[in-house]
Amino acid sequence: MVHGEAWTLKELFVYPNEYIYWTIQIVMYPFMTGLVAGAFVLSSLYHVFGIKQLKDIARFSLVFSFALLPVAMIPLQLHLQHPERGIEVMLTPHFTSAIAAFGIAFSTYGMIVASELWFVYRRHFVETALALRAKPDKSPLERFRYLLFSTLTLGAWDISAHALEKDEKAVKIMATVGIPVACLLHGYAGFIFGSVKANALWTTPLMPFIFICSAVVSGIALCMLVYMVTMEIRKLMAGWKRKQDPSLPSPEAIKSMEMYEITMTSRYLVYALIAALGLELLDLLFRDYAKFQSWEIVRSVIFGQDFVNIFIVQYGLGNLVPLTLFLLPRITAKRAAVATILVLMGVFMMRWNLVIGGQAFSASFAGFMHYELPIIPHDIETFKEGLIGAILVGITPFVFFWGLNKIFPVFKYDDSH
Amino acid sequence: MNRRDFLKNSITVIAGLAVPLSALELINPRKLLAEKPDGSRVRWAFLVDTQACVGCGFCVKACKTENEIPHETNITRTWVERYVVTKKGKTYVDSPKGARDGFTTDRIDLNEEGLQEINKDDVEKAFFVPKLCNQCENPACVQVCPVGATYQTPDGVVLVDRKHCIGCAYCIMACPYAVRSFHPEYKTAEKCTFCYHRITKGMKTACVDACPFGARKIGNLRDPDDPVTKTIMSGRIGVLKEQYGTKPQVYYIGLSKEVK
């Protein structure tokens, strides 16, 4: 069996070599990088534009963006037929290809996020390390923590007011530089699709902009959702722990979710959502008006076999319903949570309809291909490029976030930034 | 010298240098080689006579054997399409298994839609079109390869380095002719090479040798006495999907508007 045969159904005339080669992992890839870029843009709103109300969620989304970063690469690795050679994209890039820019965009962005994080948390590293150093007999775990945190300070132990001020300035610079780089990282993913002239659905110069807008939408939505959920979980856990040890602080004493953070963030989400929706509809209108040779088959996919996916699930449930939920007055946390889940689903469906929808018709314009997502894997390929692989990719950032939270405490830490 | 003077002087020097430098033209060494009379003296091109093809599929079978593409897999480096146009103007196209075994039934294979019976009296015209890699002058697949594993030889053939291909499928996506696929064993991008291992040794491609009707021919565009070149230069020929700007180098005699 050749690659793609396991999940492709052909209808009418399709060239013999045509299969759905880009599958669920290529849906996950722009979805995940979009979340990374969007989360970073959200954190920059606070650091660059000084929107003070976003302080809590900004620090949170910065750490989360870092947790998402390695995950943007995993779907690509899982989709490669030779994952062991994946590193060659970085080592021997062929610069006529859009993908060759991946190494540069990805590592630049990674370094910016890492250094911004370091400046934000430097004081924490120093304080933790100093506290551990002062402790007389350390347990092996404490000794490890001491070693870890003193390494993380990178030898910069100065936490005088003057030094911290400099840190703050550096954070601002990193956050400012980071915005265009985050847009580049994701806009480039859009360019990869938009520049494939052989694919009638993908070819459009609007693609990078559509990608950036929907990235911001999804990034903000995920940060809002995870922020709300973790805040609630922390409260629940505090209540539960207090039953065993009454000396712990009560759930009320724990800093809880701030509603103004939610309303403020949702406003930015709405702006980005309107921009994304506008661009997508412009693209659709243009295609329908210009009527290129390919339009006949593209239209039959958009308005025919993919109608429910595109108009009901993506635009309806994923865009218009949450837009209404956000715009109705007196927003509540529950309503915001429902809206963010719908938004995330909408952006995922947009990626799905683009990647899978773009391969739903043959380059002969005379036939169709249907994608059957492998649910129960029966070999390594249907595992990697099936439901299980996609779910694994979806879970990983939360595992990373849990680990990173031990080093970069998002919640307990009261910093000057 | 203070900083202001230093900057001023530097700008003057740069501006002054820019004028004579702009008079120099950067020469592309490949362009130079092509313009030199003794440069690459070969540019492979293919000529398909659709009027001679009967759809026997010998070419497909020969190709699979020659190039070690497992016989049973559905991917193929070359294939033959059958076109049946009815009197009402409806076009039916199929290529069951790439026509590896030829066309053994009158019914059209519509994949999931099953086999379509067409009344012989309704048929306006019917013909066969062999397909293979167009070895484009401006290959989209070579451009998009992120590691340079696929490349164009000086005599115009696009090849894949199996030791280097990472299997990202970007080239498969970029090819408007869908001639690329994945090799079931090597898991690398797979495509027609005009049997490069044969043509560079003075032989014909496997499909050309296998064709009993002379529907397939290979030739050298740089040789004006080559019969293939003569036909391409003086005959009425067409190419596939010109609108993509890839400059395909497989030329067709008797191409019909229905051909996709």
Side-chain angles (χ1 to χ4, degrees):
Chain A
M1 193 174 269
V2 292
H3 182 68
E5 215 169 355
W7 48 73
T8 310
L9 287 180
K10 295 183 177 186
E11 188 188 338
L12 304 175
F13 178 60
V14 176
Y15 293 126
N17 292 331
E18 276 187 298
Y19 289 100
I20 294 188
Y21 289 105
W22 281 5
T23 60
I24 183 83
Q25 292 299 356
I26 300 298
V27 178
M28 292 304 283
Y29 161 63
F31 186 64
M32 297 318 267
T33 50
L35 295 175
V36 177
F40 186 81
V41 169
L42 179 61
S43 81
S44 291
L45 282 176
Y46 165 70
H47 290 297
V48 180
F49 303 106
I51 301 166
K52 294 272 179 286
Q53 292 93 321
L54 295 182
K55 185 178 168 175
D56 261 14
I57 208 165
R59 193 176 41 233
F60 167 79
S61 47
L62 183 65
V63 177
F64 202 62
S65 163
F66 196 59
L68 282 164
L69 195 62
V71 187
M73 231 161 80
I74 297 174
L76 289 181
Q77 280 294 327
L78 287 176
H79 130 88
L80 289 186
Q81 290 289 292
H82 279 281
E84 78 283 1
R85 297 177 188 164
I87 191 70
E88 288 185 21
V89 177
M90 306 258 204
L91 300 179
T92 57
H94 182 230
F95 283 110
T96 59
S97 168
I99 294 186
F102 178 79
I104 297 164
F106 187 81
S107 42
T108 313
Y109 177 72
M111 284 188 281
I112 287 174
V113 181
S115 47
E116 186 180 335
L117 259 183
W118 186 77
F119 281 116
V120 169
Y121 281 97
R122 196 179 66 86
R123 197 186 79 180
H124 170 71
F125 298 152
V126 174
E127 281 171 353
T128 316
L130 287 178
L132 284 165
R133 187 193 284 173
K135 219 168 173 196
D137 15 69
K138 293 188 264 281
S139 67
L141 180 73
E142 280 170 330
R143 227 171 301 148
F144 170 74
R145 270 171 57 84
Y146 171 66
L147 211 68
L148 176 73
F149 279 97
S150 37
T151 315
L152 280 172
T153 60
L154 301 178
W157 293 88
D158 183 2
I159 47 168
S160 63
H162 179 66
L164 289 179
E165 212 172 277
K166 275 193 170 167
D167 279 5
E168 228 164 294
K169 214 180 256 172
V171 168
K172 198 168 172 180
I173 293 173
M174 286 301 159
T176 317
V177 178
I179 296 176
V181 179
C183 290
L184 188 80
L185 176 71
H186 199 61
Y188 130 89
F191 188 84
I192 286 181
F193 290 97
S195 61
V196 178
K197 61 185 169 192
N199 191 303
L201 188 79
W202 293 345
T203 335
T204 165
L206 287 181
M207 203 58 91
F209 300 101
I210 294 177
F211 264 56
I212 291 171
C213 290
S214 54
V216 174
V217 171
S218 63
I220 296 181
L222 185 68
C223 285
M224 274 172 77
L225 184 67
V226 179
Y227 174 73
M228 288 188 275
V229 171
T230 40
M231 284 305 196
E232 285 307 305
I233 290 178
R234 284 182 65 236
K235 257 209 278 193
L236 280 177
M237 279 178 54
W240 178 69
K241 274 187 189 159
R242 199 159 179 260
K243 272 183 201 152
Q244 292 149 349
D245 182 3
S247 67
L248 285 170
S250 71
E252 290 75 36
I254 289 197
K255 217 170 142 209
S256 77
M257 169 172 52
E258 305 284 5
M259 204 51 215
Y260 61 78
E261 302 239 1
I262 301 301
T263 43
M264 189 81 184
T265 333
S266 65
R267 198 178 310 156
Y268 291 101
L269 195 155
V270 166
Y271 295 151
L273 186 56
I274 289 171
L277 201 56
L279 283 170
E280 278 174 58
L281 293 179
L282 172 66
D283 182 49
L284 199 61
L285 181 73
F286 175 79
R287 286 166 188 275
D288 190 38
Y289 190 82
K291 291 190 176 55
F292 293 117
Q293 188 197 3
S294 57
W295 178 237
E296 201 180 325
I297 188 126
V298 173
R299 190 185 51 198
S300 69
V301 169
I302 294 178
F303 293 103
Q305 62 182 74
D306 279 3
F307 182 83
V308 174
N309 273 352
I310 294 176
F311 289 97
I312 310 285
V313 186
Q314 184 192 328
Y315 288 131
L317 278 175
N319 291 358
L320 291 179
V321 173
L323 200 60
T324 324
L325 288 176
F326 277 127
L327 289 178
L328 285 175
R330 287 184 296 279
I331 190 159
T332 61
K334 269 194 195 122
R335 202 167 83 201
V338 172
T340 50
I341 292 171
L342 286 177
V343 162
L344 282 171
M345 189 267 312
V347 174
F348 181 81
M349 280 315 286
M350 180 247 158
R351 314 292 195 222
W352 176 280
N353 291 332
L354 182 90
V355 175
I356 306 297
Q359 298 169 85
F361 55 91
S362 162
S364 68
F365 297 162
F368 300 95
M369 282 186 283
H370 304 281
Y371 177 53
E372 307 244 292
L373 176 69
I375 295 177
I376 300 158
H378 50 80
D379 57 11
I380 183 77
E381 220 151 70
T382 45
F383 170 77
K384 284 193 321 176
E385 300 197 39
L387 186 67
I388 310 278
I391 289 174
L392 280 179
V393 170
I395 294 172
T396 322
F398 297 96
V399 178
F400 282 165
F401 179 67
W402 175 80
L404 280 177
N405 193 32
K406 306 259 173 237
I407 304 169
F408 309 100
V410 175
F411 304 104
K412 288 171 205 156
Y413 182 46
D414 193 28
D415 65 351
S416 57
H417 299 293
Chain B
M1 194 191 282
N2 59 22
R3 187 152 64 165
R4 178 182 286 265
D5 284 341
F6 173 73
L7 287 173
K8 252 190 202 165
N9 290 341
S10 322
I11 290 168
T12 318
V13 168
I14 291 168
L17 280 176
V19 177
L21 280 179
S22 64
L24 293 174
E25 196 191 346
L26 284 177
I27 296 167
N28 183 344
R30 292 180 65 184
K31 215 171 172 184
L32 192 70
L33 193 70
E35 278 169 11
K36 262 170 74 177
D38 58 345
S40 176
R41 266 174 279 177
V42 183
R43 203 312 168 192
W44 296 107
F46 210 88
L47 182 66
V48 176
D49 185 353
T50 58
Q51 272 152 345
C53 179
V54 301
C56 64
F58 285 6
C59 51
V60 181
K61 212 178 276 178
C63 173
K64 282 200 155 175
T65 310
E66 175 69 28
N67 294 298
E68 288 165 350
I69 309 296
H71 198 66
E72 279 316 309
T73 57
N74 283 322
I75 61 133
T76 175
R77 289 182 172 201
T78 183
W79 68 97
V80 182
E81 292 165 6
R82 167 169 65 179
Y83 287 78
V84 177
V85 183
T86 65
K87 290 202 165 95
K88 283 181 184 153
K90 193 161 168 40
T91 308
Y92 293 92
V93 196
D94 73 343
S95 183
K97 285 207 168 276
R100 181 195 70 192
D101 307 320
F103 293 86
T104 49
T105 165
D106 288 347
R107 290 179 294 177
I108 304 286
D109 181 2
L110 298 179
N111 286 308
E112 288 294 302
E113 301 272 291
L115 294 171
Q116 171 84 34
E117 191 88 52
I118 297 172
N119 193 336
K120 280 199 175 72
D121 298 332
D122 290 342
V123 176
E124 182 69 52
K125 60 176 172 182
F127 52 88
F128 300 99
V129 180
K131 294 268 182 89
L132 67 164
C133 175
N134 285 280
Q135 315 293 356
C136 303
E137 195 57 54
N138 183 16
C141 52
V142 172
Q143 183 195 359
V144 301
C145 178
V147 293
T150 186
Y151 56 98
Q152 195 177 27
T153 62
D155 44 3
V157 177
V158 174
L159 302 176
V160 179
D161 182 349
R162 281 181 181 158
K163 290 201 191 79
H164 222 72
C165 173
I166 60 171
C168 69
Y170 203 19
C171 58
I172 302 179
M173 291 295 150
C175 175
Y177 307 98
V179 300
R180 284 180 170 247
S181 58
F182 275 123
H183 192 283
E185 280 159 31
Y186 302 111
K187 310 273 180 205
T188 51
E190 184 62 34
K191 72 180 287 293
C192 160
T193 59
F194 274 3
C195 286
Y196 200 65
H197 57 290
R198 291 169 64 101
I199 56 173
T200 47
K201 289 192 187 113
M203 295 152 84
K204 301 275 181 219
T205 69
C207 58
V208 169
D209 274 352
C211 181
F213 305 96
R216 289 172 175 252
K217 288 183 183 118
I218 187 158
N220 173 13
L221 278 185
R222 299 260 158 86
D223 176 6
D225 299 325
D226 190 314
V228 170
T229 310
K230 278 184 178 164
T231 313
I232 292 171
M233 300 309 272
S234 61
R236 293 175 198 182
I237 45 108
V239 290
L240 296 170
K241 301 189 186 186
E242 224 176 339
Q243 69 270 29
Y244 291 106
T246 52
K247 298 186 183 158
Q249 299 298 316
V250 173
Y251 297 88
Y252 285 87
I253 298 172
L255 206 57
S256 186
K257 71 178 173 60
E258 290 84 6
V259 176
K260 315 286 183 193

